[in-house]
Amino acid sequence: MKSTFFDVFRPLAGGMRPLEIVEYSLLALMTVLLPYDWQLAMWLMPLLAVNTLCRIVAARRVGNPGLSAASRWALWLMVAFFAYQIVSMLYTDNKADGWEMITRRLPLLVFALCALAADSTYLERRRLRLLMYAFTASLTVKFFVRFVILLATQHKVSVCSLFDPLHHTYMAMYLMFALGFIYSELVFHRGGMPAWFKWVLASVAALLVTYTLFVNSRTGTAGLIALALAVVAHWMFRLKQWKRGLALLAVVLAVGTGVHFALPECARRLTQTISEMRDGDTSDARYLIFGSSMKAIGENGAFGVGLGDKNDVLDEVYEETGDEGAVEAQYNSHNIYLDSMLTMGVPGLVLLLALLGVPAFTAWRRRDFIAMSLLFSFAFSGLFEALLNRQMGIMFLGLFWLILMASEGKEKQ
């Protein structure tokens, strides 16, 4: 029988063992719940671990023969990154904070070990894409829910950081990832896709762009610009469709201009930041945060201060500056790269860059836009937020790391 685009939605259970069905169901539930409440998603993680142990016993084998060499490397790098944080506890003074952070980041280890320990052959590309459709649909439904709540409480449409109670940087990261997936679908699967479904995906993409603007995140707005430029570059230089690429660039500029006038709150935050950078205005708190982080890194050697002392060291630097607001707020470094450097020094930064760089190289070579979208959304958002200090970022990276690495290499796009 000739395959069609909608084969991705055909019954899933065929060829899957009962425990594999349980695992896939848990993964699907977590992808749907994560945009709403990371705690609900996290409650399913122990069930996933127990199910993995049951699969190991049933197969009488530890190890995942379904992994490609690249995905195996990526998963072990995640384990190594987590393990080195434990090593840093050997030279940290604040053991209580350190072990609390180790516990908080435990999902990174659990998800990686689950992917390494049990056969993921069943997680073919079609099933991965269906998980991504579930995640995208969950975000879409949440937008409508939050939009109705906004109208009911404010009786008008407005852009505000309270549009979604989830932290705006993390929400923007989720949305950028979903937008990358939609682009992947429209590029690699448009051939068998009916015209009406293309319009549905394009409409959902426009809705998710609107969602990103409504949460009023500078990271999200800058990320949208970067994504748009990447899409234009892909059309022009990779697909060699210069006319369409230039036409798309014109559309992007037109939409950007429209947003500038229709949603001035969004434009104002980003343009104000650009103007401040151009004029040398350092009143934004992030200048103090990044400067203090760099000073703390420079004063504490090549191996950092350990996972427990990073906040205490930063607080001392804030006190030296005399900025009472920073002392009271107890800002973290707001950057995953600075946070890793301060915590684990050069080895920690090298591990983080390898963790992101190795799968990025593989994804680029395989034209795996879903994996590239995950890496881009995390790496870019990490420039403005220490994403691994909160479960919203930890669960996101750990869950989709498992899903994408376990399915990588099963088949091409």
Side-chain angles (χ1 to χ4, degrees):
M1 182 182 296
K2 185 179 178 180
S3 62
T4 66
F5 168 77
F6 289 105
D7 283 349
V8 70
F9 299 108
R10 70 178 185 266
L12 293 169
M16 293 173 65
R17 298 180 178 89
L19 290 175
E20 291 173 344
I21 295 173
V22 172
E23 177 173 280
Y24 190 78
S25 300
L26 290 171
L27 293 175
L29 277 173
M30 281 190 272
T31 60
V32 170
L33 291 173
L34 185 60
Y36 294 88
D37 192 334
W38 61 263
Q39 291 176 308
L40 292 176
M42 193 171 182
W43 277 109
L44 299 176
M45 189 179 67
L47 298 178
L48 180 69
V50 170
N51 188 71
T52 299
L53 290 174
C54 292
R55 292 181 62 207
I56 291 171
V57 172
R60 298 181 181 179
R61 178 185 60 208
V62 178
N64 186 350
L67 294 176
S68 68
S71 59
R72 197 180 302 277
W73 267 102
L75 288 164
W76 278 116
L77 280 169
M78 180 70 81
V79 174
F81 181 74
F82 182 86
Y84 196 79
Q85 295 173 75
I86 298 178
V87 172
S88 77
M89 291 295 295
L90 296 174
Y91 52 87
T92 196
D93 293 327
N94 192 336
K95 304 293 184 183
D97 281 3
W99 286 116
E100 190 275 333
M101 186 60 69
I102 289 290
T103 303
R104 188 183 303 177
R105 295 183 178 182
L106 197 58
L108 297 176
L109 179 65
V110 173
F111 283 123
L113 290 180
C114 284
L116 286 163
D119 191 350
S120 66
T121 305
Y122 80 92
L123 195 55
E124 60 190 40
R125 199 71 179 178
R126 174 177 70 91
R127 291 183 176 124
L128 161 67
R129 290 169 56 212
L130 196 55
L131 290 176
M132 288 302 304
Y133 271 111
F135 179 67
T136 305
S138 180
L139 289 169
T140 304
V141 171
K142 190 181 184 187
F143 172 80
F144 286 114
V145 170
R146 297 307 311 174
F147 192 80
V148 170
I149 291 174
L150 177 70
L151 291 179
T153 55
Q154 298 193 12
H155 307 292
K156 64 178 181 178
V157 177
S158 63
V159 174
C160 62
S161 58
L162 297 179
F163 179 79
D164 193 307
L166 195 72
H167 190 289
H168 53 85
T169 300
Y170 294 85
M171 197 67 224
M173 178 173 64
Y174 295 176
L175 292 163
M176 284 190 285
F177 181 38
L179 284 167
F181 164 69
I182 292 175
Y183 182 69
S184 174
E185 288 293 288
L186 290 172
V187 168
F188 293 107
H189 299 284
R190 67 182 183 277
M193 190 183 293
W196 67 266
F197 196 77
K198 294 176 187 177
W199 282 107
V200 168
L201 286 181
S203 300
V204 171
L207 185 146
L208 296 185
V209 169
T210 304
Y211 199 165
T212 308
L213 296 173
F214 270 36
V215 298
N216 205 14
S217 166
R218 284 178 292 183
T219 303
T221 305
L224 289 178
I225 294 171
L227 279 174
L229 294 177
V231 168
V232 170
H234 181 248
W235 278 42
M236 294 177 66
F237 301 110
R238 183 80 180 194
L239 301 180
K240 305 298 182 182
Q241 297 183 16
W242 291 85
K243 292 182 179 179
R244 290 188 178 183
L246 290 173
L248 181 61
L249 179 60
V251 170
V252 169
L253 293 174
V255 171
T257 303
V259 168
H260 178 79
F261 291 104
L263 299 173
E265 300 97 326
C266 298
R268 189 183 304 120
R269 290 198 76 202
L270 190 60
T271 55
Q272 180 180 350
T273 300
I274 295 173
S275 298
E276 289 173 355
M277 292 173 63
R278 182 191 60 205
D279 300 336
D281 184 351
T282 58
S283 59
D284 191 293
R286 289 188 188 273
Y287 284 99
L288 173 65
I289 294 168
F290 290 163
S292 299
S293 298
M294 292 297 294
K295 182 180 180 181
I297 290 169
E299 292 176 349
N300 288 281
F303 293 95
V305 300
L307 197 59
D309 289 349
K310 60 176 182 174
N311 292 330
D312 295 336
V313 169
L314 271 178
D315 288 345
E316 291 174 5
V317 176
Y318 292 144
E319 289 177 1
E320 292 173 7
T321 65
D323 191 308
E324 295 182 1
V327 173
E328 183 178 350
Q330 295 183 317
Y331 294 121
N332 62 46
S333 60
H334 281 69
N335 181 293
I336 55 171
Y337 310 100
L338 294 178
D339 184 77
S340 296
M341 188 71 176
L342 177 59
T343 302
M344 300 175 284
V346 174
L349 181 61
V350 169
L351 278 171
L352 177 63
L353 293 177
L355 179 67
L356 299 175
V358 170
F361 174 78
T362 304
W364 175 261
R365 190 178 61 183
R366 287 180 51 82
R367 296 190 301 164
D368 186 345
F369 274 37
I370 302 177
M372 281 192 283
S373 297
L374 173 68
L375 294 164
F376 168 79
S377 62
F378 183 83
F380 185 85
S381 301
L383 291 170
F384 311 100
E385 193 70 34
L387 299 171
L388 297 181
N389 283 350
R390 297 195 185 200
Q391 290 288 3
M392 290 175 285
I394 294 167
M395 284 293 294
F396 171 76
L397 181 63
L399 173 62
F400 286 105
W401 203 260
L402 181 158
I403 292 171
L404 288 170
M405 295 307 121
S407 64
E408 192 271 330
K410 297 294 186 302
E411 55 185 90
K412 291 188 176 182
Q413 293 285 347

